Amino acid sequence: MVTNDKFYLSLALNEAWKYQGLTYPNPAVGCAITDKNGALLAVAAHKKAGLPHAELEAAKEALTKLNPLLIFPSEPNELYAFISKNHNNLLKNSTFYVTLEPCSHQGLTPPCAHLVVTLGARKVFIGSLDKTKKAKGGAQILRKSGIEVEEGVLKKECNELLEPFLLWQGGSFSFFKLALRLDGTYDNGIITSHEARVFMHKMRSVCDLIVIGGETLRADNPVLDARLVNGKAPDVLICTTKNIEKNANVFSVKNRKVLVQNSLEFPKKYKNIMIEGGSNFLRAMNGKTDRFLIFHGSDFGLSGSKRIETDLKLKLLYQGCVGNCSFGWHSKVI
Amino acid sequence: MVTNDKFYLSLALNEAWKYQGLTYPNPAVGCAITDKNGALLAVAAHKKAGLPHAELEAAKEALTKLNPLLIFPSEPNELYAFISKNHNNLLKNSTFYVTLEPCSHQGLTPPCAHLVVTLGARKVFIGSLDKTKKAKGGAQILRKSGIEVEEGVLKKECNELLEPFLLWQGGSFSFFKLALRLDGTYDNGIITSHEARVFMHKMRSVCDLIVIGGETLRADNPVLDARLVNGKAPDVLICTTKNIEKNANVFSVKNRKVLVQNSLEFPKKYKNIMIEGGSNFLRAMNGKTDRFLIFHGSDFGLSGSKRIETDLKLKLLYQGCVGNCSFGWHSKVI
């Protein structure tokens, strides 16, 4: 394996994919840093809105490695200020590898492009350019400060990582989550590991809508909250032509809306939409699904369990592991 | 992610897993090298018996990075001699991260431990110790030459990588290969990508026995050769209680033995054994299978395809991708 600039960016890319689905309304972004001699100092990602951007997180990780005595504040604004003051030129002439152009705007934290300038980086490799009105222009800030910038490294792969963000920015992003056994079976028993279910609850907690069909409601009577991570329960849309049991568990959660409708259209106000269900709902939602997130547990099923029936053909974008499960992000083959 | 010594060894470990099943009769081994300043120079693996050991391959990769003008001979012995003479101290004070203790013996190539000494490494991190009579003692050679050695980093994970080798050294290693669609269906149609099938043919070419059941023979009439890689076709064992069609494709390959028997016992002379089949054979072979190699394609099936029925519970050891497919190496949960 050639350990070149693409390799370092691919480390950042892989790290970012681990948090795909968790960063809404922000994009999934990864960042690696090497020092002036080329030694790897950090591979980090943006993990969640309200936590540091990838560049800030990577800078913290790099400085921790170089000076383990530093004690960093956890609040991102304070962290940004602290690092800007206390970096002590430790990252002078470093190289940054970012999957997305560093932001140029004051959001929850000040612009990442300014941070990279402050730290004295020598070169920045960028995967995707940021074309949002709000945040674009980071590369220009870097160049104006004399930092060498190389754009478009692993562009296709970085664009794939970014696409969910572009979709919800432009309207809405929807993904169908399936949890299957190794043999493709599913039912309302436990299919995936505890770690995988925690991961899915984290995702639920940042979705603003979960969509299910009436069949899932009747068969599983799910709560559809994010209790494993003490997270916010998203609103729920139940698509059904039949009457709904008023005591269903989904109604037991406070501070969430439950919508019941017989059409498959998503209400416009929701931007990050998770679809859960089985075989019939997967087929019904096919045309309205942007991505497929498919977990495979490590057990085989028992006869009598349900199975997916569809002739969908998918493209594997990223394959990861959590607990004893594997999961893949897929797009449709068009 | 902390980019510490464990991280570098994990890069080597992941690289080695990509070649698990292809290195027989040698173990799957990975090696990473960082320079005196900690910059990553190489992440390499032993790819196939007759090709360089991981340390030699990594040294070549590292020297290529440091001096792109070097032209290396491809034959491993010549490569070893060339690197020993022409390293020009470029790897002086480097650090090696190896999943397995460097070998101490003259095999097809001279001992890797001597190479590491010649190159002037400062420190070597070792995952698993080599306990084979023939090759053990590498760490001692390193220490005697003043190289610092740290053993047991990611020991559990490196031992998992090594275990197939230990099994065939001690008698035989068998793995059941399954190729399934995303929904667990299979049949004699094309399930996985061309790249995945090439990968499987490479594995076949280094197996000394493929085992199938009579049901597979009758349903699929497979050739069971390694034609996609122009490789050696392994011997075949057909376990069946019924008569076999004498014109079956499996008999059409020259220079291979086809054994037909009604017991499920593997003949003792075979050490690296690949089992192929479907649901019934998976259950029949359960007690005789050391590992499970499960490919998932990226399509869903069509109604009528076959499905696996077993209640096996597995542990995921490594998850990889090839082409548009994912694959996992699993052990049984005991």
Side-chain angles (χ1 to χ4, degrees):
Chain A
M1 190 192 290
V2 186
T3 56
N4 56 10
D5 297 314
K6 274 189 187 171
F7 172 79
Y8 292 115
L9 191 55
S10 77
L11 291 179
L13 186 67
N14 269 323
E15 189 65 11
W17 267 109
K18 294 182 191 168
Y19 300 91
Q20 183 71 276
L22 303 178
T23 61
Y24 175 78
N26 294 340
V29 182
C31 175
I33 305 176
T34 56
D35 74 9
K36 61 178 182 219
N37 297 313
L40 188 63
L41 297 177
V43 181
H46 179 51
K47 293 178 179 165
K48 192 179 153 89
L51 291 183
H53 285 188
E55 297 90 332
L56 182 58
E57 184 68 20
K60 175 186 159 186
E61 200 177 287
L63 291 171
T64 304
K65 187 168 177 173
L66 296 171
N67 183 358
L69 296 178
L70 280 174
I71 295 168
F72 295 92
S74 60
E75 197 281 320
N77 264 301
E78 291 172 22
L79 179 64
Y80 190 106
F82 180 87
I83 287 181
S84 299
K85 269 187 209 155
N86 298 288
H87 62 84
N88 213 4
N89 285 322
L90 288 171
L91 298 181
K92 188 91 188 158
N93 291 321
S94 60
T95 301
F96 278 65
Y97 301 85
V98 284
T99 60
L100 176 65
E101 185 178 3
C103 68
S104 65
H105 74 302
Q106 172 73 42
L108 291 176
T109 41
C112 288
H114 288 175
L115 179 71
V116 177
V117 171
T118 302
L119 294 173
R122 189 184 63 75
K123 186 159 183 177
V124 177
F125 288 88
I126 296 175
S128 305
L129 287 181
D130 194 331
K131 289 172 182 164
T132 60
K133 254 193 186 168
K134 202 168 72 171
K136 72 176 179 183
Q140 208 181 346
I141 293 174
L142 299 174
R143 284 201 180 94
K144 276 194 182 161
S145 308
I147 297 174
E148 193 184 343
V149 176
E150 192 168 325
E151 294 166 6
V153 186
L154 297 179
K155 188 176 170 182
K156 185 178 142 282
E157 291 82 357
C158 289
N159 284 347
E160 283 172 352
L161 173 71
L162 187 63
E163 213 156 328
F165 169 75
L166 298 179
L167 287 169
W168 68 60
Q169 284 264 320
S172 73
F173 170 70
S174 62
F175 64 102
F176 202 110
K177 187 221 81 181
L178 270 179
L180 307 173
R181 295 197 183 82
L182 275 176
D183 55 1
T185 60
Y186 68 96
D187 50 37
N188 54 8
I190 286 178
I191 291 167
T192 53
S193 63
H194 177 73
E195 293 88 337
R197 279 175 286 134
V198 165
F199 184 53
M200 289 183 242
H201 277 226
K202 275 187 192 168
M203 257 181 224
R204 280 184 181 170
S205 76
V206 299
C207 284
D208 34 36
L209 186 68
I210 295 188
V211 183
I212 61 165
E215 197 183 324
T216 294
L217 188 91
R218 285 183 291 274
D220 301 353
N221 193 13
V223 184
L224 298 176
D225 62 359
R227 62 195 175 279
L228 293 179
V229 296
N230 286 318
K232 177 187 73 66
D235 288 354
V236 174
L237 169 64
I238 305 166
C239 299
T240 181
T241 52
K242 296 183 187 164
N243 284 336
I244 289 298
E245 172 66 55
K246 281 183 186 161
N247 295 324
N249 287 332
V250 75
F251 294 106
S252 69
V253 181
K254 282 181 191 166
N255 303 320
R256 80 122 65 101
K257 260 190 212 159
V258 180
L259 311 163
V260 182
Q261 63 180 40
N262 57 19
S263 101
L264 297 175
E265 292 305 313
F266 306 141
K268 284 251 161 88
K269 67 180 258 206
Y270 297 107
K271 296 189 169 299
N272 186 24
I273 300 167
M274 184 167 181
I275 312 170
E276 298 198 25
S279 189
N280 292 335
F281 207 54
L282 182 72
R283 282 201 307 276
M285 282 294 171
N286 185 0
K288 313 192 69 58
T289 301
D290 297 312
R291 293 289 179 275
F292 299 83
L293 173 61
I294 306 179
F295 287 81
H296 277 100
S298 284
D299 296 345
F300 285 86
L302 304 159
S303 61
S305 297
K306 290 178 272 187
R307 311 201 184 243
I308 301 291
E309 291 189 15
T310 168
D311 57 1
L312 258 180
K313 293 186 189 311
L314 301 182
K315 182 185 168 199
L316 182 59
L317 303 173
Y318 170 75
Q319 183 74 35
C321 290
V322 55
N324 197 26
C325 299
S326 69
F327 66 94
W329 280 101
H330 306 256
S331 62
K332 261 178 278 191
V333 173
I334 303 162
Chain B
M1 192 192 289
V2 186
T3 55
N4 55 10
D5 298 315
K6 275 190 186 170
F7 171 80
Y8 292 114
L9 191 54
S10 77
L11 292 178
L13 186 66
N14 270 323
E15 189 65 12
W17 267 110
K18 294 182 191 168
Y19 300 91
Q20 182 72 277
L22 303 177
T23 61
Y24 175 78
N26 294 340
V29 182
C31 175
I33 305 177
T34 56
D35 74 9
K36 61 179 182 214
N37 297 314
L40 188 63
L41 297 177
V43 181
H46 180 50
K47 293 179 179 165
K48 193 180 153 91
L51 292 183
H53 285 188
E55 297 90 332
L56 182 59
E57 184 67 21
K60 176 186 158 186
E61 201 178 286
L63 291 170
T64 304
K65 187 166 177 173
L66 296 170
N67 183 359
L69 297 178
L70 280 173
I71 295 169
F72 297 92
S74 59
E75 196 280 320
N77 264 301
E78 291 172 23
L79 179 64
Y80 189 106
F82 180 86
I83 287 181
S84 300
K85 269 187 210 156
N86 298 289
H87 62 84
N88 213 3
N89 285 322
L90 287 171
L91 297 181
K92 188 90 187 160
N93 290 322
S94 59
T95 301
F96 278 66
Y97 301 85
V98 283
T99 61
L100 176 65
E101 185 179 3
C103 67
S104 64
H105 74 302
Q106 172 73 42
L108 292 176
T109 42
C112 288
H114 289 173
L115 179 72
V116 177
V117 170
T118 302
L119 294 172
R122 188 185 63 75
K123 185 160 182 177
V124 178
F125 288 88
I126 295 174
S128 304
L129 287 180
D130 193 332
K131 290 173 182 163
T132 59
K133 254 191 187 171
K134 204 169 69 173
K136 72 177 180 181
Q140 207 180 347
I141 294 174
L142 299 174
R143 284 202 180 94
K144 274 191 183 164
S145 308
I147 296 174
E148 194 184 342
V149 176
E150 192 168 325
E151 296 167 3
V153 186
L154 296 179
K155 188 176 170 182
K156 184 179 142 280
E157 292 81 358
C158 290
N159 284 347
E160 283 172 353
L161 172 72
L162 188 62
E163 213 155 329
F165 169 75
L166 297 179
L167 286 169
W168 68 60
Q169 283 265 320
S172 73
F173 170 70
S174 62
F175 64 102
F176 202 110
K177 187 221 80 180
L178 271 178
L180 306 174
R181 295 197 183 82
L182 275 176
D183 55 1
T185 59
Y186 68 97
D187 51 38
N188 54 9
I190 286 179
I191 292 168
T192 53
S193 63
H194 178 72
E195 293 89 336
R197 279 175 287 133
V198 165
F199 184 53
M200 288 183 243
H201 277 224
K202 276 188 191 167
M203 258 183 222
R204 280 184 181 170
S205 76
V206 299
C207 284
D208 33 37
L209 186 70
I210 295 188
V211 184
I212 61 164
E215 196 183 322
T216 294
L217 188 91
R218 286 182 291 272
D220 301 353
N221 193 12
V223 184
L224 297 177
D225 63 358
R227 62 195 173 279
L228 293 179
V229 296
N230 285 319
K232 177 189 73 67
D235 287 355
V236 173
L237 169 64
I238 305 167
C239 299
T240 181
T241 52
K242 296 182 186 164
N243 284 336
I244 290 297
E245 172 64 58
K246 280 181 188 163
N247 296 323
N249 288 332
V250 74
F251 295 106
S252 70
V253 182
K254 281 180 191 165
N255 303 320
R256 81 121 65 103
K257 261 191 213 157
V258 180
L259 311 163
V260 182
Q261 62 180 41
N262 56 19
S263 100
L264 297 175
E265 293 303 313
F266 306 141
K268 285 252 159 88
K269 67 178 258 207
Y270 296 108
K271 295 189 170 298
N272 186 24
I273 300 167
M274 184 167 179
I275 312 170
E276 297 198 24
S279 190
N280 292 336
F281 208 54
L282 181 72
R283 281 201 307 276
M285 282 294 173
N286 184 2
K288 312 191 71 57
T289 301
D290 297 313
R291 292 289 179 276
F292 299 83
L293 173 61
I294 305 179
F295 287 81
H296 276 100
S298 284
D299 296 346
F300 285 86
L302 304 160
S303 60
S305 297
K306 289 178 274 187
R307 313 206 182 238
I308 300 291
E309 291 189 15
T310 168
D311 56 2
L312 257 181
K313 293 184 189 313
L314 301 181
K315 183 186 166 195
L316 182 60
L317 302 173
Y318 170 75
Q319 183 74 36
C321 291
V322 55
N324 197 25
C325 299
S326 69
F327 66 94
W329 280 100
H330 305 257
S331 62
K332 261 178 277 189
V333 173
I334 303 163

